[in-house]
Amino acid sequence: AVVSTQSTGNLRTNLPKQLMTFRDLSYDKDIPTFLTHGQVMTYLERYSEKFSIGNLIEFNTPVTSVKPEPSSDPVKWVVSTSKGSRLFDAVAICTGRYDTPNIPQINGLNTYSGRYEHSKDYAAPESYQGQHVLIVGAHASGTDLLIDLCEHGVRADISHRKPEPKLGLPDGVVQYNEPVLFEGDLVYFKGDTKGHKFDVIIFATGYGTNLHYLDPDCLIKTDVLPRPLYKFAINPKYPTMAIFNQCVFIAPFPFCEYQALYFRKILLGEITLDSYENLLSEAWSLAERKPDLHLKYQYGLHLDQFTYNKDLAGLCGILLELENDMDALSQLYDSVGKDRAANPATYRNKEYEFDRESGMFNMTEDWNVL
């Protein structure tokens, strides 16, 4: 949910802190609803310290191969890294959907003489002073970068595929259609025969999942979307493998936590799974649930994530506390999402708190009207 992987003081999360919380640790009450990069990092470090997670991590150890050892029952896993190979009882792949920047293959981009980069490389608006910047992509990251640049005096425009102009952008921003051709140092947009020149182009065009190290014997397709996955996480052939956080349009922290709790129950033998054939059938149905959409959006959940989380919590025997009630969290997610779409420059100026009487999250302050 943090829109930049760089440590910048300007950008804040596009989800409220109540949707970025693990069950066993809360944020400090005096920090705002929408968090800075540093506040999220501090929270994760506190969580790591509380459960001594750092002692379990081998840093700077890239994985080169994951392969099942089918002679064991249940199957074990040969995991090869830069330091050698080891045998494990189970494998959880936790790299998520945001590890490999995606830059679309647009005609002429490989010979374009201008400067371009991915939003992952964005650090601070000061490095773009005096330049004309084009943002390609108008989802959360692209919109945030555009606003950040404009608020710091950088001339910036945006390109996107949306059928209507995006609302709530800074005054003076030009909204172009999607780029279809790069020629020399010029950019051509769909429906426009005139070439346009920019000093920098930033592609806020999302990420891909890089699971190249999974051996074909894992029986998981890794192009575009890892599949098949039972309940969006479990390898149906080998349930001692899980691939977490592959869904989009979700609140990642609680989502992966419930996936991890469910996987743990499977490994402990406390959950009995259906036959391989039934698991496989259900897993493939999840990868084909939206036939009118591109494959990469088949795991898009939106509000369905809360039904999913509640389902996994029930299977794990977890009694949800009021602040973790899925109806309340769903209402907050939906409310903030609508506000973000209508007011991308100001929606973070609001504070939300849980009201125990109503069982819902209410807005308690709006800095836009002070």
Side-chain angles (χ1 to χ4, degrees):
V2 180
V3 298
S4 174
T5 58
Q6 301 292 336
S7 179
T8 169
N10 299 321
L11 301 179
R12 290 186 287 161
T13 57
N14 54 40
L15 289 175
K17 64 182 180 182
Q18 295 88 345
L19 290 165
M20 298 188 62
T21 305
F22 295 122
R23 295 172 59 252
D24 299 311
L25 185 67
S26 299
Y27 287 94
D28 293 335
K29 291 185 177 181
D30 59 343
I31 64 175
T33 294
F34 295 94
L35 309 167
T36 66
H37 177 285
Q39 289 166 332
V40 176
M41 180 63 72
T42 297
Y43 176 80
L44 293 175
E45 289 173 344
R46 287 174 54 214
Y47 191 88
S48 175
E49 291 171 2
K50 180 176 179 178
F51 295 101
S52 301
I53 294 173
N55 298 330
L56 306 175
I57 301 174
E58 292 188 24
F59 294 97
N60 301 313
T61 309
V63 173
T64 57
S65 174
V66 176
K67 185 175 183 178
E69 176 51 66
S71 62
S72 57
D73 185 20
V75 69
K76 295 182 183 292
W77 299 92
V78 179
V79 178
S80 300
T81 71
S82 57
K83 298 178 181 178
S85 297
R86 294 168 59 186
L87 191 66
F88 291 90
D89 295 318
V91 170
I93 297 171
C94 309
T95 50
R97 285 286 294 269
Y98 302 100
D99 60 343
T100 304
N102 172 62
I103 293 182
Q105 298 300 308
I106 301 172
N107 190 21
L109 182 59
N110 59 338
T111 59
Y112 175 61
S113 61
R115 172 185 165 191
Y116 68 91
E117 59 196 45
H118 191 270
S119 58
K120 180 180 184 295
D121 301 313
Y122 184 90
E126 289 76 15
S127 60
Y128 302 92
Q129 291 293 334
Q131 301 182 73
H132 186 190
V133 179
L134 175 71
I135 306 293
V136 178
H139 286 297
S141 296
T143 303
D144 283 347
L145 298 191
L146 176 76
I147 293 170
D148 192 39
L149 290 167
C150 291
E151 288 180 345
H152 289 82
V154 177
R155 182 186 175 194
D157 298 320
I158 195 165
S159 163
H160 58 76
R161 297 176 177 175
K162 298 182 181 298
E164 301 292 336
K166 188 172 178 66
L167 301 175
L169 299 184
D171 293 339
V173 168
V174 178
Q175 300 190 48
Y176 295 97
N177 211 324
E178 61 182 296
V180 294
L181 174 66
F182 290 83
E183 192 172 75
D185 61 354
L186 298 178
V187 184
Y188 292 83
F189 299 98
K190 184 178 180 180
D192 187 355
T193 59
K194 178 184 176 182
H196 300 264
K197 186 174 181 179
F198 301 91
D199 296 303
V200 185
I201 297 176
I202 301 176
F203 285 94
T205 45
Y207 294 78
T209 300
N210 186 355
L211 300 174
H212 66 279
Y213 47 82
L214 291 188
D215 189 272
D217 288 346
C218 295
L219 301 182
I220 297 292
K221 292 181 178 292
T222 58
D223 61 310
V224 183
L225 190 73
R227 61 202 190 283
L229 292 177
Y230 175 66
K231 291 196 178 296
F232 299 114
I234 308 300
N235 185 326
K237 178 64 174 177
Y238 303 121
T240 53
M241 168 184 276
I243 305 178
F244 294 146
N245 252 0
Q246 291 302 308
C247 292
V248 292
F249 310 122
I250 59 168
F253 284 21
F255 188 83
C256 70
E257 181 174 34
Y258 288 112
Q259 287 187 326
L261 291 168
Y262 179 67
F263 186 47
R264 175 180 177 271
K265 287 283 188 178
I266 292 174
L267 297 180
L268 293 175
E270 297 176 8
I271 288 179
T272 301
L273 296 175
D274 205 342
S275 68
Y276 165 60
E277 290 75 19
N278 288 344
L279 296 183
L280 184 65
S281 176
E282 182 174 330
W284 276 117
S285 70
L286 295 177
E288 300 165 351
R289 56 200 288 266
K290 299 180 179 181
D292 56 326
L293 294 180
H294 189 279
L295 179 59
K296 66 180 178 181
Y297 295 123
Q298 294 303 311
Y299 290 174
L301 291 187
H302 298 282
L303 296 180
D304 289 343
Q305 67 181 293
F306 300 101
T307 302
Y308 173 86
N309 289 352
K310 188 174 183 178
D311 175 50
L312 293 191
L315 291 172
C316 294
I318 296 172
L319 181 63
L320 297 174
E321 299 176 358
L322 283 177
E323 291 84 350
N324 291 316
D325 178 79
M326 293 304 163
D327 291 336
L329 292 173
S330 176
Q331 168 257 332
L332 178 62
Y333 183 91
D334 187 46
S335 176
V336 169
K338 291 176 178 176
D339 196 17
R340 180 171 60 241
N343 306 291
T346 58
Y347 74 94
R348 292 183 177 91
N349 295 335
K350 299 175 181 178
E351 298 294 325
Y352 295 86
E353 291 183 4
F354 184 74
D355 178 57
R356 299 188 71 86
E357 183 175 340
S358 66
M360 292 292 171
F361 289 92
N362 295 330
M363 185 178 67
T364 58
E365 292 183 85
D366 184 351
W367 301 105
N368 297 305
V369 298
L370 296 181

